[in-house]
Amino acid sequence: MSMIAAIRAGEAIAPQHYRLDEGQWRDMLTKAPGWFIAHWCDDSFAYALFLDHRTPLMVSTPLIDGRYFALSAVLPPASWPERIAQDLWGCLPLGAADTEPALDRGGWASIAPLSRRSVPSDHAPPSPAFLDALHSDMAPFAWGNGTIIPGAAHRGLLQQLIGQPPEAVLKLIGRSVSSAFVAAPLAYSRAVEQALGIVPGDDVRDARTLLSEIERIAVHCRDIALLAELSGFGLLATHARLAEDLCASLCAHHGATRRLTDSITPEGIASGLDICGLAHAVHDALMPRLDPLETLHAQMAECLEGLGTLTSSRARIFCLGGIAGRASGRSFDLRQLEDDMRHVPGRAGSRMAGDAWARQSLRLDEIRDSLRRIERVASQFGTPLPTTPALPTGSGEGIGAVEGPHGDIWCWVRLQDSRIEGIMLRDPARALLGVLPQMLHNRWDDRLVLASFGFDPGGAEQ
């Protein structure tokens, strides 16, 4: 029996959401692990999100005196989320793999600040390593003995959204992660639409697809440029920056912002945005630039091969997708789960080496693939798809997901009286926290390793 089957044996709270009592939850932990996505807590429940083939599956269990049995005992990627929940809510994961603080490095005014059980802290000063991180040129990181010490980028964003109307939250979500000004609000919008029983039209679906692929190209260019700069390949960095800037200029010219902020709206996309014109312009302008980028990129092979290697087995254990997973032999891509199959011809696929060179090479492959997809979708804009998706139920709860530039972004929302009652936003950067320490050894290589993953501390700590 698998965890997935054990979850489905519980009480159905909402579509895709089951509740287990303490005994059922503990029994679930003895079963074969499923594809883990996210874990979080509030004052009353512990939650986890899994993927069952094509279907997201959520499970929750009541906290007993603030305690619950730890997922990390059998699911290593749950360790960081448990530690974060412990810092913010004071939830105690029994049998956890690690209970060291994740965000609270001292200096907080209260212990477990989000909980009703919160008490004032003694204002102990932050650790010296954390203070060093604040003044380093790689803030908010400090590392020693293979340990990452984040904390400085945490803003408590999600808790600030509770009680707000969904429309107001969309704007804040759209600015929460610098690499996902389209992907994060789109994941949120899909969750809200499912909660309300809204089915977007074909033109909205395609417009969002085009915006997602344009953002993917821009972010990949930015990541390529950063890694090239750090590696001393200035000419490649210049070409990649120029490609990113050209993409931004085209966005502005066609009625969007340069970074596509606020492009996703409750109605679909921002009014006045010429999405098909933008799509064709991006394709025609950037496709000729790929050959020079690839030629210059080939010179980096010797510098990046073998650097920051993430093995296929660790990528599987930590349930990694995105560039990180696909460069380590995994094929997971949320776009494969969509009914729109126009991205399949020429799809970038995956690589096996799992090192910085594989990740950088895959970015170039994905830029070319995204440009091809943009051309196909724009030329068939608004065409009804052969398969009609199942209608959302309007139950008040919803789960949305998007394949962002750095990997899969997931969002869960619960609505009550047209307000946000509960929310979870999982950025792929959080999933990387478990695998990065093994690859960080010295300050020079660390810069390259983190850049090769496109790691965003803001995404990991919100």
Side-chain angles (χ1 to χ4, degrees):
M1 188 176 182
S2 67
M3 281 188 178
I4 300 300
I7 292 169
R8 291 192 181 278
E11 176 190 4
I13 299 299
Q16 304 170 317
H17 181 183
Y18 294 82
R19 182 154 295 161
L20 307 181
D21 62 27
E22 184 180 54
Q24 291 172 313
W25 178 275
R26 195 170 186 182
D27 182 64
M28 176 192 73
L29 299 179
T30 68
K31 310 304 182 185
W35 182 289
F36 172 82
I37 297 170
H39 168 49
W40 67 103
C41 293
D42 58 25
D43 245 349
S44 303
F45 294 94
Y47 304 87
L49 185 62
F50 293 86
L51 186 63
D52 179 17
H53 300 293
R54 295 174 61 92
T55 305
L57 189 64
M58 182 172 160
V59 61
S60 60
T61 190
L63 299 177
I64 308 299
D65 295 326
R67 298 174 173 86
Y68 67 103
F69 286 95
L71 286 162
S72 64
V74 293
L75 286 168
S79 181
W80 273 96
E82 282 176 355
R83 294 165 61 190
I84 291 171
Q86 181 177 266
D87 283 358
L88 297 178
W89 293 94
C91 305
L92 181 61
L94 301 176
D98 190 350
T99 57
E100 286 295 309
L103 302 176
D104 185 357
R105 301 294 170 180
W108 282 18
S110 58
I111 296 172
L114 302 186
S115 173
R116 293 189 301 266
R117 303 181 297 273
S118 178
V119 296
S121 74
D122 58 5
H123 291 276
S127 67
F130 184 65
L131 292 175
D132 288 344
L134 293 177
H135 296 93
S136 76
D137 59 355
M138 290 191 68
F141 286 100
W143 51 94
N145 301 319
T147 301
I148 293 181
I149 307 177
H154 183 72
R155 296 163 290 165
L157 170 69
L158 297 184
Q159 193 60 21
Q160 299 171 27
L161 307 181
I162 302 299
Q164 297 199 39
E167 298 81 4
V169 169
L170 176 62
K171 196 174 189 72
L172 294 171
I173 291 287
R175 287 167 163 75
S176 62
V177 184
S178 62
S179 62
F181 290 146
V182 171
L186 180 50
Y188 168 79
S189 295
R190 288 175 173 174
V192 171
E193 287 163 357
Q194 186 181 89
L196 297 176
I198 296 172
V199 182
D202 295 323
D203 55 344
V204 170
R205 176 206 65 215
D206 283 355
R208 290 170 165 181
T209 294
L210 293 172
L211 288 171
S212 296
E213 297 303 328
I214 293 168
E215 177 176 68
R216 190 183 323 279
I217 292 168
V219 172
H220 281 351
C221 286
R222 191 182 317 145
D223 289 341
I224 289 170
L226 176 59
L227 194 54
E229 288 171 359
L230 293 173
S231 304
F233 291 87
L235 187 56
L236 173 60
T238 298
H239 275 264
R241 292 289 185 201
L242 288 173
E244 180 196 2
D245 187 66
L246 176 58
C247 190
S249 298
L250 291 172
C251 289
H253 182 72
H254 287 84
T257 62
R258 288 177 60 86
R259 297 287 291 275
L260 295 177
T261 51
D262 301 326
S263 295
I264 302 297
T265 67
E267 297 74 31
I269 67 167
S271 61
L273 201 167
D274 177 12
I275 186 61
C276 286
L278 172 60
H280 288 301
V282 168
H283 174 271
D284 294 346
L286 266 66
M287 188 62 85
R289 293 176 174 265
L290 284 184
D291 286 341
L293 280 172
E294 290 171 343
T295 300
L296 293 168
H297 165 258
Q299 301 171 14
M300 297 182 65
E302 186 175 352
C303 174
L304 299 182
E305 285 177 345
L307 178 69
T309 299
L310 174 66
T311 65
S312 178
S313 61
R314 283 188 67 78
R316 175 182 54 80
I317 290 170
F318 283 86
C319 301
L320 295 179
I323 286 287
R326 291 192 289 275
S328 297
R330 311 207 77 196
S331 61
F332 180 73
D333 185 327
L334 273 175
R335 292 175 294 176
Q336 296 171 338
L337 306 185
E338 298 174 1
D339 294 297
D340 185 350
M341 302 303 290
R342 286 172 289 184
H343 75 285
V344 172
R347 192 170 62 84
S350 58
R351 291 180 175 248
M352 297 300 296
D355 56 11
W357 172 246
R359 292 187 286 274
Q360 185 82 325
S361 299
L362 190 55
R363 284 190 178 92
L364 277 169
D365 295 342
E366 292 199 353
I367 290 173
R368 187 177 293 276
D369 176 61
S370 290
L371 288 171
R372 289 169 174 163
R373 190 182 194 202
I374 285 170
E375 182 183 37
R376 284 192 293 270
V377 173
S379 64
Q380 305 169 39
F381 187 80
T383 302
L385 296 176
T387 303
T388 302
L391 294 178
T393 61
S395 65
E397 280 195 24
I399 299 171
V402 172
E403 184 67 30
H406 290 155
D408 45 315
I409 297 177
W410 294 82
C411 185
W412 164 79
V413 297
R414 182 173 60 229
L415 303 178
Q416 182 69 35
D417 298 328
S418 300
R419 300 275 172 169
I420 298 293
E421 188 182 50
I423 185 168
M424 180 279 300
L425 183 67
R426 182 275 207 180
D427 186 83
R430 181 167 293 187
L432 287 172
L433 289 174
V435 300
L436 285 176
Q438 191 181 57
M439 291 175 279
L440 302 182
H441 303 292
N442 63 70
R443 288 181 179 267
W444 173 248
D445 281 354
D446 290 352
R447 291 173 174 82
L448 299 180
V449 171
L450 291 172
S452 74
F453 280 105
F455 184 79
D456 183 343
E461 298 187 35
Q462 50 185 330

